[in-house]
Amino acid sequence: MATGRTHRPATRSRGIPEATVARLPLYLRALTALSERSVPTVSSEELAAAAGVNSAKLRKDFSYLGSYGTRGVGYDVEYLVYQISRELGLTQDWPVVIVGIGNLGAALANYGGFASRGFRVAALIDADPQLTGKAVAGIPVQHTDDLEKIIQDNGVSIGVIATPAGAAQQVCDRLVAAGVTSILNFAPTVLSVPDGVDVRKVDLSIELQILAFHEQRKAGEEAAGEAAVPAAAQRGDSADQGPDGDMPAVMPA
């Protein structure tokens, strides 16, 4: 099976917009669920609803893949699963290393969704000598001293950083120098990388802060709505009054 070091996804050469690329995994997740239920075809409206996008945007996204569906029938689920998987590079083996095997790194190592989506955890790496040789998710942890050799031996092009913030940039630099060209960063810091290296950042605290903002706004709107009720009562407003404050012209029988 091909490894990630010598094969790149087809999306860049095909000119697919980044916004479309970002939605492809959403479509794939929805399609996989349909496939598991043995659903043969799906309409653009049904698939868009399952993916959380509007159907016009979905049809536009699929046009970049050269997939237009069949009028009155919809899209073939199995074919779309293959087509999107191919565009995302998931029809080949992508060896991944996880650096930083604390609570988060260990949780990532134990995540069963990697293998089913074309990613193989090739190695777990940590700076703590007490963790060296310890098995996590059935994989022995290796020391960071061997990072470069591990990358070369396993043909790794994707690295996951789950270290503390203070160590993340140094780890990133070593990964890039060893040949890693894509990094998923869970460390709460912004990484500096050279051109040609892609970084995706996952910051759980930022996501929680965004949710806190929305919760605060909802609470403020509720409080404003409750305050409006007594104010209306003080003005003498009533559902029985007409638009000018008079009694309705037509009274109920």
Side-chain angles (χ1 to χ4, degrees), residues 43-71:
S43 70
S44 59
E45 290 79 10
E46 292 170 332
L47 182 54
V53 304
N54 66 63
S55 57
K57 185 173 293 184
L58 178 143
R59 287 191 292 270
K60 179 66 173 177
D61 288 342
F62 283 2
S63 72
Y64 290 110
L65 307 181
S67 184
Y68 299 94
T70 303
R71 185 178 297 275

mmCIF file of all heavy atoms in Angstrom, residues 43-71:
data_model
loop_
_atom_site.group_PDB
_atom_site.id
_atom_site.type_symbol
_atom_site.label_atom_id
_atom_site.label_comp_id
_atom_site.label_asym_id
_atom_site.label_seq_id
_atom_site.Cartn_x
_atom_site.Cartn_y
_atom_site.Cartn_z
ATOM 1 N N SER A 43 -30.792 11.919 -1.946
ATOM 2 C CA SER A 43 -31.007 13.177 -2.657
ATOM 3 C C SER A 43 -30.071 14.244 -2.111
ATOM 4 O O SER A 43 -29.541 14.122 -0.997
ATOM 5 C CB SER A 43 -32.454 13.638 -2.499
ATOM 6 O OG SER A 43 -32.699 14.051 -1.156
ATOM 7 N N SER A 44 -29.862 15.297 -2.874
ATOM 8 C CA SER A 44 -28.996 16.377 -2.412
ATOM 9 C C SER A 44 -29.583 17.037 -1.169
ATOM 10 O O SER A 44 -28.837 17.433 -0.265
ATOM 11 C CB SER A 44 -28.800 17.416 -3.524
ATOM 12 O OG SER A 44 -30.044 17.966 -3.929
ATOM 13 N N GLU A 45 -30.906 17.140 -1.095
ATOM 14 C CA GLU A 45 -31.541 17.756 0.074
ATOM 15 C C GLU A 45 -31.318 16.925 1.328
ATOM 16 O O GLU A 45 -30.985 17.455 2.394
ATOM 17 C CB GLU A 45 -33.050 17.944 -0.163
ATOM 18 C CG GLU A 45 -33.404 19.014 -1.182
ATOM 19 C CD GLU A 45 -33.232 18.546 -2.621
ATOM 20 O OE1 GLU A 45 -33.022 17.323 -2.827
ATOM 21 O OE2 GLU A 45 -33.289 19.397 -3.531
ATOM 22 N N GLU A 46 -31.471 15.607 1.204
ATOM 23 C CA GLU A 46 -31.288 14.722 2.360
ATOM 24 C C GLU A 46 -29.834 14.725 2.831
ATOM 25 O O GLU A 46 -29.558 14.810 4.028
ATOM 26 C CB GLU A 46 -31.716 13.299 2.005
ATOM 27 C CG GLU A 46 -33.212 13.143 1.766
ATOM 28 C CD GLU A 46 -33.573 11.788 1.174
ATOM 29 O OE1 GLU A 46 -32.727 11.193 0.475
ATOM 30 O OE2 GLU A 46 -34.700 11.336 1.412
ATOM 31 N N LEU A 47 -28.908 14.659 1.875
ATOM 32 C CA LEU A 47 -27.493 14.625 2.241
ATOM 33 C C LEU A 47 -27.052 15.960 2.809
ATOM 34 O O LEU A 47 -26.283 16.008 3.776
ATOM 35 C CB LEU A 47 -26.649 14.264 1.019
ATOM 36 C CG LEU A 47 -25.147 14.131 1.258
ATOM 37 C CD1 LEU A 47 -24.852 13.146 2.386
ATOM 38 C CD2 LEU A 47 -24.438 13.688 -0.025
ATOM 39 N N ALA A 48 -27.550 17.062 2.237
ATOM 40 C CA ALA A 48 -27.199 18.386 2.750
ATOM 41 C C ALA A 48 -27.673 18.552 4.187
ATOM 42 O O ALA A 48 -26.946 19.088 5.038
ATOM 43 C CB ALA A 48 -27.807 19.475 1.863
ATOM 44 N N ALA A 49 -28.891 18.092 4.470
ATOM 45 C CA ALA A 49 -29.418 18.196 5.837
ATOM 46 C C ALA A 49 -28.578 17.375 6.810
ATOM 47 O O ALA A 49 -28.286 17.812 7.921
ATOM 48 C CB ALA A 49 -30.876 17.731 5.866
ATOM 49 N N ALA A 50 -28.166 16.180 6.377
ATOM 50 C CA ALA A 50 -27.354 15.320 7.244
ATOM 51 C C ALA A 50 -25.976 15.908 7.496
ATOM 52 O O ALA A 50 -25.383 15.712 8.566
ATOM 53 C CB ALA A 50 -27.217 13.932 6.619
ATOM 54 N N ALA A 51 -25.458 16.673 6.508
ATOM 55 C CA ALA A 51 -24.124 17.263 6.645
ATOM 56 C C ALA A 51 -24.159 18.655 7.260
ATOM 57 O O ALA A 51 -23.111 19.214 7.592
ATOM 58 C CB ALA A 51 -23.439 17.320 5.280
ATOM 59 N N GLY A 52 -25.361 19.224 7.373
ATOM 60 C CA GLY A 52 -25.482 20.549 7.981
ATOM 61 C C GLY A 52 -25.168 21.695 7.038
ATOM 62 O O GLY A 52 -24.718 22.760 7.472
ATOM 63 N N VAL A 53 -25.393 21.512 5.725
ATOM 64 C CA VAL A 53 -25.187 22.584 4.745
ATOM 65 C C VAL A 53 -26.452 22.698 3.895
ATOM 66 O O VAL A 53 -27.346 21.862 3.989
ATOM 67 C CB VAL A 53 -23.967 22.314 3.836
ATOM 68 C CG1 VAL A 53 -22.711 22.112 4.667
ATOM 69 C CG2 VAL A 53 -24.207 21.092 2.952
ATOM 70 N N ASN A 54 -26.519 23.749 3.066
ATOM 71 C CA ASN A 54 -27.684 23.842 2.183
ATOM 72 C C ASN A 54 -27.422 23.055 0.900
ATOM 73 O O ASN A 54 -26.278 22.844 0.499
ATOM 74 C CB ASN A 54 -28.055 25.307 1.891
ATOM 75 C CG ASN A 54 -27.002 26.031 1.087
ATOM 76 O OD1 ASN A 54 -26.718 25.671 -0.049
ATOM 77 N ND2 ASN A 54 -26.421 27.072 1.671
ATOM 78 N N SER A 55 -28.507 22.643 0.255
ATOM 79 C CA SER A 55 -28.388 21.729 -0.881
ATOM 80 C C SER A 55 -27.715 22.388 -2.086
ATOM 81 O O SER A 55 -27.008 21.723 -2.837
ATOM 82 C CB SER A 55 -29.765 21.189 -1.274
ATOM 83 O OG SER A 55 -30.651 22.248 -1.582
ATOM 84 N N ALA A 56 -27.909 23.706 -2.265
ATOM 85 C CA ALA A 56 -27.266 24.387 -3.396
ATOM 86 C C ALA A 56 -25.747 24.363 -3.233
ATOM 87 O O ALA A 56 -25.005 24.145 -4.204
ATOM 88 C CB ALA A 56 -27.770 25.824 -3.501
ATOM 89 N N LYS A 57 -25.286 24.568 -2.012
ATOM 90 C CA LYS A 57 -23.842 24.541 -1.753
ATOM 91 C C LYS A 57 -23.300 23.133 -1.965
ATOM 92 O O LYS A 57 -22.205 22.953 -2.511
ATOM 93 C CB LYS A 57 -23.554 25.007 -0.325
ATOM 94 C CG LYS A 57 -22.079 25.126 0.021
ATOM 95 C CD LYS A 57 -21.901 25.761 1.392
ATOM 96 C CE LYS A 57 -22.344 27.201 1.404
ATOM 97 N NZ LYS A 57 -22.073 27.851 2.719
ATOM 98 N N LEU A 58 -24.060 22.125 -1.532
ATOM 99 C CA LEU A 58 -23.626 20.738 -1.732
ATOM 100 C C LEU A 58 -23.483 20.419 -3.218
ATOM 101 O O LEU A 58 -22.478 19.838 -3.635
ATOM 102 C CB LEU A 58 -24.624 19.791 -1.072
ATOM 103 C CG LEU A 58 -24.363 18.293 -1.224
ATOM 104 C CD1 LEU A 58 -24.741 17.540 0.045
ATOM 105 C CD2 LEU A 58 -25.168 17.709 -2.403
ATOM 106 N N ARG A 59 -24.476 20.811 -4.010
ATOM 107 C CA ARG A 59 -24.411 20.509 -5.442
ATOM 108 C C ARG A 59 -23.221 21.221 -6.091
ATOM 109 O O ARG A 59 -22.562 20.659 -6.972
ATOM 110 C CB ARG A 59 -25.724 20.902 -6.119
ATOM 111 C CG ARG A 59 -26.888 19.971 -5.795
ATOM 112 C CD ARG A 59 -28.081 20.238 -6.680
ATOM 113 N NE ARG A 59 -28.687 21.532 -6.388
ATOM 114 C CZ ARG A 59 -29.664 21.713 -5.493
ATOM 115 N NH1 ARG A 59 -30.132 20.679 -4.793
ATOM 116 N NH2 ARG A 59 -30.172 22.909 -5.290
ATOM 117 N N LYS A 60 -22.949 22.443 -5.652
ATOM 118 C CA LYS A 60 -21.798 23.169 -6.169
ATOM 119 C C LYS A 60 -20.503 22.465 -5.786
ATOM 120 O O LYS A 60 -19.587 22.303 -6.618
ATOM 121 C CB LYS A 60 -21.791 24.593 -5.615
ATOM 122 C CG LYS A 60 -20.611 25.446 -6.081
ATOM 123 C CD LYS A 60 -20.664 25.729 -7.563
ATOM 124 C CE LYS A 60 -19.593 26.703 -7.976
ATOM 125 N NZ LYS A 60 -19.588 26.945 -9.445
ATOM 126 N N ASP A 61 -20.411 22.016 -4.538
ATOM 127 C CA ASP A 61 -19.210 21.297 -4.086
ATOM 128 C C ASP A 61 -18.993 20.028 -4.899
ATOM 129 O O ASP A 61 -17.867 19.729 -5.319
ATOM 130 C CB ASP A 61 -19.340 20.934 -2.600
ATOM 131 C CG ASP A 61 -19.221 22.140 -1.680
ATOM 132 O OD1 ASP A 61 -18.705 23.180 -2.130
ATOM 133 O OD2 ASP A 61 -19.637 22.033 -0.510
ATOM 134 N N PHE A 62 -20.077 19.283 -5.137
ATOM 135 C CA PHE A 62 -19.942 18.023 -5.862
ATOM 136 C C PHE A 62 -19.604 18.247 -7.334
ATOM 137 O O PHE A 62 -19.032 17.373 -7.990
ATOM 138 C CB PHE A 62 -21.223 17.200 -5.736
ATOM 139 C CG PHE A 62 -21.369 16.521 -4.400
ATOM 140 C CD1 PHE A 62 -20.411 16.698 -3.398
ATOM 141 C CD2 PHE A 62 -22.456 15.729 -4.114
ATOM 142 C CE1 PHE A 62 -20.540 16.093 -2.167
ATOM 143 C CE2 PHE A 62 -22.598 15.106 -2.882
ATOM 144 C CZ PHE A 62 -21.629 15.296 -1.908
ATOM 145 N N SER A 63 -19.953 19.433 -7.857
ATOM 146 C CA SER A 63 -19.613 19.712 -9.255
ATOM 147 C C SER A 63 -18.103 19.777 -9.441
ATOM 148 O O SER A 63 -17.592 19.456 -10.514
ATOM 149 C CB SER A 63 -20.254 21.025 -9.705
ATOM 150 O OG SER A 63 -19.624 22.151 -9.112
ATOM 151 N N TYR A 64 -17.373 20.167 -8.383
ATOM 152 C CA TYR A 64 -15.909 20.180 -8.464
ATOM 153 C C TYR A 64 -15.350 18.761 -8.557
ATOM 154 O O TYR A 64 -14.244 18.556 -9.052
ATOM 155 C CB TYR A 64 -15.303 20.877 -7.247
ATOM 156 C CG TYR A 64 -15.543 22.360 -7.211
ATOM 157 C CD1 TYR A 64 -16.399 22.915 -6.262
ATOM 158 C CD2 TYR A 64 -14.929 23.225 -8.110
ATOM 159 C CE1 TYR A 64 -16.632 24.281 -6.216
ATOM 160 C CE2 TYR A 64 -15.161 24.592 -8.076
ATOM 161 C CZ TYR A 64 -16.005 25.114 -7.125
ATOM 162 O OH TYR A 64 -16.237 26.464 -7.082
ATOM 163 N N LEU A 65 -16.131 17.796 -8.063
ATOM 164 C CA LEU A 65 -15.704 16.397 -8.131
ATOM 165 C C LEU A 65 -16.143 15.748 -9.436
ATOM 166 O O LEU A 65 -15.795 14.595 -9.699
ATOM 167 C CB LEU A 65 -16.287 15.602 -6.956
ATOM 168 C CG LEU A 65 -16.052 16.149 -5.546
ATOM 169 C CD1 LEU A 65 -16.686 15.211 -4.519
ATOM 170 C CD2 LEU A 65 -14.579 16.329 -5.262
ATOM 171 N N GLY A 66 -16.943 16.471 -10.215
ATOM 172 C CA GLY A 66 -17.473 15.896 -11.444
ATOM 173 C C GLY A 66 -18.642 14.976 -11.189
ATOM 174 O O GLY A 66 -18.958 14.114 -12.009
ATOM 175 N N SER A 67 -19.291 15.145 -10.029
ATOM 176 C CA SER A 67 -20.422 14.289 -9.677
ATOM 177 C C SER A 67 -21.682 15.148 -9.628
ATOM 178 O O SER A 67 -21.765 16.099 -8.855
ATOM 179 C CB SER A 67 -20.186 13.622 -8.319
ATOM 180 O OG SER A 67 -21.223 12.716 -8.016
ATOM 181 N N TYR A 68 -22.670 14.811 -10.468
ATOM 182 C CA TYR A 68 -23.874 15.626 -10.577
ATOM 183 C C TYR A 68 -25.153 14.879 -10.197
ATOM 184 O O TYR A 68 -26.233 15.450 -10.237
ATOM 185 C CB TYR A 68 -24.002 16.184 -11.994
ATOM 186 C CG TYR A 68 -22.838 17.067 -12.384
ATOM 187 C CD1 TYR A 68 -21.745 16.542 -13.062
ATOM 188 C CD2 TYR A 68 -22.833 18.416 -12.060
ATOM 189 C CE1 TYR A 68 -20.662 17.342 -13.416
ATOM 190 C CE2 TYR A 68 -21.753 19.224 -12.403
ATOM 191 C CZ TYR A 68 -20.672 18.685 -13.078
ATOM 192 O OH TYR A 68 -19.606 19.485 -13.418
ATOM 193 N N GLY A 69 -25.044 13.619 -9.861
ATOM 194 C CA GLY A 69 -26.220 12.863 -9.485
ATOM 195 C C GLY A 69 -27.113 12.570 -10.676
ATOM 196 O O GLY A 69 -26.821 12.939 -11.810
ATOM 197 N N THR A 70 -28.232 11.919 -10.400
ATOM 198 C CA THR A 70 -29.204 11.576 -11.433
ATOM 199 C C THR A 70 -30.551 12.160 -11.062
ATOM 200 O O THR A 70 -31.030 11.943 -9.939
ATOM 201 C CB THR A 70 -29.334 10.037 -11.576
ATOM 202 O OG1 THR A 70 -28.042 9.484 -11.867
ATOM 203 C CG2 THR A 70 -30.320 9.683 -12.684
ATOM 204 N N ARG A 71 -31.139 12.935 -11.970
ATOM 205 C CA ARG A 71 -32.424 13.568 -11.687
ATOM 206 C C ARG A 71 -33.481 12.519 -11.326
ATOM 207 O O ARG A 71 -33.658 11.526 -12.017
ATOM 208 C CB ARG A 71 -32.888 14.375 -12.913
ATOM 209 C CG ARG A 71 -34.175 15.170 -12.666
ATOM 210 C CD ARG A 71 -34.554 15.971 -13.903
ATOM 211 N NE ARG A 71 -33.546 16.966 -14.213
ATOM 212 C CZ ARG A 71 -33.496 18.174 -13.659
ATOM 213 N NH1 ARG A 71 -34.402 18.502 -12.742
ATOM 214 N NH2 ARG A 71 -32.550 19.027 -14.004
#
